[in-house]
Amino acid sequence: MLQPNNLLIPSITFIFWSSWTLINGAVSEPQANLLSTGCSPSIDQFVVTNFSIFSENVNRTFRHIREQISNNSKHFATAQRPSVENSVFALFQCRNYISIHDCVVCFDAAAKQVHKCAAGTQGGRAVYDGCFLRYN
Ligand SMILES: *[C@@H]1O[C@H](CO)[C@@H](O)[C@H](O)[C@H]1NC(C)=O
Ligand SMILES: *[C@@H]1O[C@H](CO)[C@@H](O)[C@H](O)[C@H]1NC(C)=O
């Protein structure tokens, strides 16, 4: 389940980026400098009951997000695997002035980073200069 305080940070980040982007010109680099990252501990046994299923759901949502960016030229994408147990909700955004190629590069860096969240955690986030990714 998403906690209210977990939702606040991406919302603020989104608003910040949306306005920040307006005063900045085009930049051609993925801006994949890691600013912040973390994993959410699984404190509620009902959130994740089977980590192999959960991991597969995480991977499916990440594949879906990557497809949306690269095939549909999106700078913002969400994906989900809703179910009774082991549901995954993932959200990704890159700054809208970076190229789709750089957006995908930043996504790949973020996905690799949050994959470091070991089995036993129920979420992760990674914030870069150019993009952020989170899942729960
Ligand atoms: C998790 O699910 C997989 C696939 O359905 C199953 O093979 C495995 O035994 C389950 N693990 C646990 C700990 O329930
Ligand atoms: C999900 O992807 C990661 C990174 O590619 C991989 O290590 C892991 O085994 C995958 N999980 C499943 C259940 O396929």
Side-chain angles (χ1 to χ4, degrees), residues 97-108:
Y97 57 80
I98 71 173
S99 70
I100 289 302
H101 172 266
D102 289 345
C103 188
V104 172
V105 168
C106 200
F107 173 80
D108 287 345

mmCIF file with all atom_site columns, all heavy atoms in Angstrom, residues 97-108:
data_model
loop_
_atom_site.group_PDB
_atom_site.id
_atom_site.type_symbol
_atom_site.label_atom_id
_atom_site.label_alt_id
_atom_site.label_comp_id
_atom_site.label_asym_id
_atom_site.label_entity_id
_atom_site.label_seq_id
_atom_site.pdbx_PDB_ins_code
_atom_site.Cartn_x
_atom_site.Cartn_y
_atom_site.Cartn_z
_atom_site.occupancy
_atom_site.B_iso_or_equiv
_atom_site.pdbx_formal_charge
_atom_site.auth_seq_id
_atom_site.auth_comp_id
_atom_site.auth_asym_id
_atom_site.auth_atom_id
_atom_site.pdbx_PDB_model_num
ATOM 1  N N   . TYR A 1 97  ? 12.864 18.041 -21.593 1.00 0.00 ? 97  TYR A N   1
ATOM 2  C CA  . TYR A 1 97  ? 13.716 18.595 -22.642 1.00 0.00 ? 97  TYR A CA  1
ATOM 3  C C   . TYR A 1 97  ? 14.831 17.626 -23.048 1.00 0.00 ? 97  TYR A C   1
ATOM 4  O O   . TYR A 1 97  ? 15.577 17.905 -23.978 1.00 0.00 ? 97  TYR A O   1
ATOM 5  C CB  . TYR A 1 97  ? 14.332 19.940 -22.208 1.00 0.00 ? 97  TYR A CB  1
ATOM 6  C CG  . TYR A 1 97  ? 15.139 19.883 -20.933 1.00 0.00 ? 97  TYR A CG  1
ATOM 7  C CD1 . TYR A 1 97  ? 16.445 19.420 -20.938 1.00 0.00 ? 97  TYR A CD1 1
ATOM 8  C CD2 . TYR A 1 97  ? 14.577 20.292 -19.731 1.00 0.00 ? 97  TYR A CD2 1
ATOM 9  C CE1 . TYR A 1 97  ? 17.186 19.354 -19.776 1.00 0.00 ? 97  TYR A CE1 1
ATOM 10 C CE2 . TYR A 1 97  ? 15.308 20.229 -18.566 1.00 0.00 ? 97  TYR A CE2 1
ATOM 11 C CZ  . TYR A 1 97  ? 16.613 19.763 -18.594 1.00 0.00 ? 97  TYR A CZ  1
ATOM 12 O OH  . TYR A 1 97  ? 17.327 19.697 -17.438 1.00 0.00 ? 97  TYR A OH  1
ATOM 13 N N   . ILE A 1 98  ? 14.982 16.498 -22.338 1.00 0.00 ? 98  ILE A N   1
ATOM 14 C CA  . ILE A 1 98  ? 16.038 15.582 -22.772 1.00 0.00 ? 98  ILE A CA  1
ATOM 15 C C   . ILE A 1 98  ? 15.485 14.654 -23.866 1.00 0.00 ? 98  ILE A C   1
ATOM 16 O O   . ILE A 1 98  ? 14.281 14.419 -23.954 1.00 0.00 ? 98  ILE A O   1
ATOM 17 C CB  . ILE A 1 98  ? 16.698 14.805 -21.609 1.00 0.00 ? 98  ILE A CB  1
ATOM 18 C CG1 . ILE A 1 98  ? 15.785 13.755 -20.994 1.00 0.00 ? 98  ILE A CG1 1
ATOM 19 C CG2 . ILE A 1 98  ? 17.228 15.747 -20.537 1.00 0.00 ? 98  ILE A CG2 1
ATOM 20 C CD1 . ILE A 1 98  ? 16.490 12.885 -19.959 1.00 0.00 ? 98  ILE A CD1 1
ATOM 21 N N   . SER A 1 99  ? 16.378 14.178 -24.713 1.00 0.00 ? 99  SER A N   1
ATOM 22 C CA  . SER A 1 99  ? 15.938 13.347 -25.848 1.00 0.00 ? 99  SER A CA  1
ATOM 23 C C   . SER A 1 99  ? 15.394 12.014 -25.344 1.00 0.00 ? 99  SER A C   1
ATOM 24 O O   . SER A 1 99  ? 15.693 11.603 -24.210 1.00 0.00 ? 99  SER A O   1
ATOM 25 C CB  . SER A 1 99  ? 17.118 13.099 -26.790 1.00 0.00 ? 99  SER A CB  1
ATOM 26 O OG  . SER A 1 99  ? 18.051 12.232 -26.176 1.00 0.00 ? 99  SER A OG  1
ATOM 27 N N   . ILE A 1 100 ? 14.621 11.360 -26.188 1.00 0.00 ? 100 ILE A N   1
ATOM 28 C CA  . ILE A 1 100 ? 14.078 10.047 -25.820 1.00 0.00 ? 100 ILE A CA  1
ATOM 29 C C   . ILE A 1 100 ? 15.222 9.056  -25.588 1.00 0.00 ? 100 ILE A C   1
ATOM 30 O O   . ILE A 1 100 ? 15.185 8.262  -24.651 1.00 0.00 ? 100 ILE A O   1
ATOM 31 C CB  . ILE A 1 100 ? 13.101 9.540  -26.905 1.00 0.00 ? 100 ILE A CB  1
ATOM 32 C CG1 . ILE A 1 100 ? 11.820 10.380 -26.871 1.00 0.00 ? 100 ILE A CG1 1
ATOM 33 C CG2 . ILE A 1 100 ? 12.773 8.061  -26.699 1.00 0.00 ? 100 ILE A CG2 1
ATOM 34 C CD1 . ILE A 1 100 ? 11.094 10.378 -25.524 1.00 0.00 ? 100 ILE A CD1 1
ATOM 35 N N   . HIS A 1 101 ? 16.246 9.141  -26.417 1.00 0.00 ? 101 HIS A N   1
ATOM 36 C CA  . HIS A 1 101 ? 17.404 8.263  -26.218 1.00 0.00 ? 101 HIS A CA  1
ATOM 37 C C   . HIS A 1 101 ? 17.990 8.462  -24.820 1.00 0.00 ? 101 HIS A C   1
ATOM 38 O O   . HIS A 1 101 ? 18.243 7.497  -24.086 1.00 0.00 ? 101 HIS A O   1
ATOM 39 C CB  . HIS A 1 101 ? 18.471 8.528  -27.282 1.00 0.00 ? 101 HIS A CB  1
ATOM 40 C CG  . HIS A 1 101 ? 19.752 7.794  -27.015 1.00 0.00 ? 101 HIS A CG  1
ATOM 41 N ND1 . HIS A 1 101 ? 20.808 8.362  -26.336 1.00 0.00 ? 101 HIS A ND1 1
ATOM 42 C CD2 . HIS A 1 101 ? 20.124 6.513  -27.274 1.00 0.00 ? 101 HIS A CD2 1
ATOM 43 C CE1 . HIS A 1 101 ? 21.782 7.458  -26.211 1.00 0.00 ? 101 HIS A CE1 1
ATOM 44 N NE2 . HIS A 1 101 ? 21.391 6.335  -26.779 1.00 0.00 ? 101 HIS A NE2 1
ATOM 45 N N   . ASP A 1 102 ? 18.199 9.701  -24.432 1.00 0.00 ? 102 ASP A N   1
ATOM 46 C CA  . ASP A 1 102 ? 18.776 9.985  -23.112 1.00 0.00 ? 102 ASP A CA  1
ATOM 47 C C   . ASP A 1 102 ? 17.814 9.610  -21.989 1.00 0.00 ? 102 ASP A C   1
ATOM 48 O O   . ASP A 1 102 ? 18.233 9.191  -20.903 1.00 0.00 ? 102 ASP A O   1
ATOM 49 C CB  . ASP A 1 102 ? 19.155 11.464 -23.011 1.00 0.00 ? 102 ASP A CB  1
ATOM 50 C CG  . ASP A 1 102 ? 20.367 11.801 -23.869 1.00 0.00 ? 102 ASP A CG  1
ATOM 51 O OD1 . ASP A 1 102 ? 21.065 10.856 -24.297 1.00 0.00 ? 102 ASP A OD1 1
ATOM 52 O OD2 . ASP A 1 102 ? 20.612 12.993 -24.109 1.00 0.00 ? 102 ASP A OD2 1
ATOM 53 N N   . CYS A 1 103 ? 16.538 9.749  -22.268 1.00 0.00 ? 103 CYS A N   1
ATOM 54 C CA  . CYS A 1 103 ? 15.514 9.375  -21.291 1.00 0.00 ? 103 CYS A CA  1
ATOM 55 C C   . CYS A 1 103 ? 15.595 7.868  -21.014 1.00 0.00 ? 103 CYS A C   1
ATOM 56 O O   . CYS A 1 103 ? 15.543 7.431  -19.857 1.00 0.00 ? 103 CYS A O   1
ATOM 57 C CB  . CYS A 1 103 ? 14.145 9.770  -21.836 1.00 0.00 ? 103 CYS A CB  1
ATOM 58 S SG  . CYS A 1 103 ? 12.779 9.608  -20.694 1.00 0.00 ? 103 CYS A SG  1
ATOM 59 N N   . VAL A 1 104 ? 15.774 7.083  -22.073 1.00 0.00 ? 104 VAL A N   1
ATOM 60 C CA  . VAL A 1 104 ? 15.888 5.628  -21.922 1.00 0.00 ? 104 VAL A CA  1
ATOM 61 C C   . VAL A 1 104 ? 17.184 5.272  -21.179 1.00 0.00 ? 104 VAL A C   1
ATOM 62 O O   . VAL A 1 104 ? 17.189 4.397  -20.309 1.00 0.00 ? 104 VAL A O   1
ATOM 63 C CB  . VAL A 1 104 ? 15.821 4.925  -23.300 1.00 0.00 ? 104 VAL A CB  1
ATOM 64 C CG1 . VAL A 1 104 ? 16.130 3.435  -23.164 1.00 0.00 ? 104 VAL A CG1 1
ATOM 65 C CG2 . VAL A 1 104 ? 14.443 5.108  -23.922 1.00 0.00 ? 104 VAL A CG2 1
ATOM 66 N N   . VAL A 1 105 ? 18.265 5.975  -21.498 1.00 0.00 ? 105 VAL A N   1
ATOM 67 C CA  . VAL A 1 105 ? 19.539 5.731  -20.797 1.00 0.00 ? 105 VAL A CA  1
ATOM 68 C C   . VAL A 1 105 ? 19.366 5.997  -19.302 1.00 0.00 ? 105 VAL A C   1
ATOM 69 O O   . VAL A 1 105 ? 19.813 5.213  -18.452 1.00 0.00 ? 105 VAL A O   1
ATOM 70 C CB  . VAL A 1 105 ? 20.667 6.631  -21.373 1.00 0.00 ? 105 VAL A CB  1
ATOM 71 C CG1 . VAL A 1 105 ? 21.904 6.596  -20.476 1.00 0.00 ? 105 VAL A CG1 1
ATOM 72 C CG2 . VAL A 1 105 ? 21.024 6.186  -22.794 1.00 0.00 ? 105 VAL A CG2 1
ATOM 73 N N   . CYS A 1 106 ? 18.688 7.091  -18.983 1.00 0.00 ? 106 CYS A N   1
ATOM 74 C CA  . CYS A 1 106 ? 18.452 7.441  -17.578 1.00 0.00 ? 106 CYS A CA  1
ATOM 75 C C   . CYS A 1 106 ? 17.540 6.397  -16.921 1.00 0.00 ? 106 CYS A C   1
ATOM 76 O O   . CYS A 1 106 ? 17.782 5.988  -15.780 1.00 0.00 ? 106 CYS A O   1
ATOM 77 C CB  . CYS A 1 106 ? 17.852 8.845  -17.483 1.00 0.00 ? 106 CYS A CB  1
ATOM 78 S SG  . CYS A 1 106 ? 18.044 9.626  -15.868 1.00 0.00 ? 106 CYS A SG  1
ATOM 79 N N   . PHE A 1 107 ? 16.524 5.950  -17.647 1.00 0.00 ? 107 PHE A N   1
ATOM 80 C CA  . PHE A 1 107 ? 15.645 4.907  -17.109 1.00 0.00 ? 107 PHE A CA  1
ATOM 81 C C   . PHE A 1 107 ? 16.439 3.641  -16.790 1.00 0.00 ? 107 PHE A C   1
ATOM 82 O O   . PHE A 1 107 ? 16.276 3.036  -15.727 1.00 0.00 ? 107 PHE A O   1
ATOM 83 C CB  . PHE A 1 107 ? 14.508 4.565  -18.083 1.00 0.00 ? 107 PHE A CB  1
ATOM 84 C CG  . PHE A 1 107 ? 13.703 3.377  -17.622 1.00 0.00 ? 107 PHE A CG  1
ATOM 85 C CD1 . PHE A 1 107 ? 12.731 3.531  -16.646 1.00 0.00 ? 107 PHE A CD1 1
ATOM 86 C CD2 . PHE A 1 107 ? 13.969 2.110  -18.110 1.00 0.00 ? 107 PHE A CD2 1
ATOM 87 C CE1 . PHE A 1 107 ? 12.026 2.429  -16.174 1.00 0.00 ? 107 PHE A CE1 1
ATOM 88 C CE2 . PHE A 1 107 ? 13.266 1.005  -17.640 1.00 0.00 ? 107 PHE A CE2 1
ATOM 89 C CZ  . PHE A 1 107 ? 12.298 1.170  -16.673 1.00 0.00 ? 107 PHE A CZ  1
ATOM 90 N N   . ASP A 1 108 ? 17.300 3.231  -17.723 1.00 0.00 ? 108 ASP A N   1
ATOM 91 C CA  . ASP A 1 108 ? 18.079 2.002  -17.522 1.00 0.00 ? 108 ASP A CA  1
ATOM 92 C C   . ASP A 1 108 ? 18.965 2.113  -16.281 1.00 0.00 ? 108 ASP A C   1
ATOM 93 O O   . ASP A 1 108 ? 19.100 1.152  -15.517 1.00 0.00 ? 108 ASP A O   1
ATOM 94 C CB  . ASP A 1 108 ? 18.915 1.685  -18.760 1.00 0.00 ? 108 ASP A CB  1
ATOM 95 C CG  . ASP A 1 108 ? 18.066 1.164  -19.921 1.00 0.00 ? 108 ASP A CG  1
ATOM 96 O OD1 . ASP A 1 108 ? 16.901 0.775  -19.680 1.00 0.00 ? 108 ASP A OD1 1
ATOM 97 O OD2 . ASP A 1 108 ? 18.558 1.150  -21.059 1.00 0.00 ? 108 ASP A OD2 1
#
